[in-house]
Amino acid sequence: MPNTNTLLQQRYALPAEEQPAFIDNAITRFLLEHRSVRAYQDKPLPEGTLETLLAAAQSAATSSNLQAWSLLAVENPERKARLAALSNDQAHIRQAPLFLVWLADFSRIQRQAEAQGASLEALEYLDSFLVASTDAALAAQNAVLAAESLGLGTVYIGALRNNLAAVIDELGLPSWVYPVFGLAIGYPDAQKPAAIKPRLPQSLVLHRETYRIPEDESTQVQDYDQRIGAFYQQQGLNTPSWTRQSIERLSRPQILSGREHLLATLQAQSFQLR
Ligand SMILES: Cc1cc2nc3c(=O)[nH]c(=O)nc-3n(C[C@H](O)[C@H](O)[C@H](O)COP(=O)(O)O)c2cc1C
């Protein structure tokens, strides 16, 4: 395992003297090692993997203990292929032995309420949607860390929302359920290793007490652009700088590849987002 300084160096791509302070233990060090994996071995997962990941996910905090999420596991190759086709045709979805769909899910409590003749009027409000989506994300990230601890690799699939209505149909999701994102899981292909991607410096991300925009924000962003540019080059990737990529990613609705129509599909699933 690489030592902590090497990992911090990879996480921020800063010279040793500019690295942030870091309290080193097995878990903090392990967290630094995250990278998304987009190439998998054709190798089944050990028995009990799904249940282990689910126990990790269910150990995450959950708003008011509502547990407003569910997990849908897809292993069937044909279904994975259909979901891949709906998600910008990302090959790693087909390749990974396990594809998890993280669902915001109020349908469970809605069924109980209905049986008791109660109505859940707060469900239609935007905050309830945020509660369920946040719960699902926190649960998923716990599963990601558990998977990584087992030597597995993962990649989130936000593109699962590109054709949300078709995905809802494919998965047979009832009202009050929507897929927040997918997660491909498998053993990383050692021939195509993924690297730790440098992040923005802490000085751009951390505010103390009140929000203050750093005077040299633009210079710091440009410096980061240089560092991540060098990283992409090292990886043989022709990816533009962080600023250019991010501006492009947010520049127009069409870039959302179908997600610009999310509201109508969510409303059809009962989430009114008042
Ligand atoms: C909610 C979410 C959705 C994502 N969707 C995709 C996706 O559809 N396809 C993909 O290849 N990566 C996807 N990613 C992975 C990000 O691109 C990746 O986390 C980011 O570039 C940072 O790289 P790293 O995870 O290797 O550190 C997603 C990540 C998140 C958190």
Side-chain angles (χ1 to χ4, degrees), residues 85 99 125:
F99 186 65
Y125 287 81

Side-chain angles (χ1 to χ4, degrees), residues 34-36 38 90 92 155-159 181 197 199:
H34 162 78
R35 79 274 327 250
S36 292
R38 298 183 179 83
Q90 298 189 50
H92 34 268
V155 62
Y156 283 103
I157 304 292
F181 42 64
K197 189 185 286 182
R199 296 293 199 256

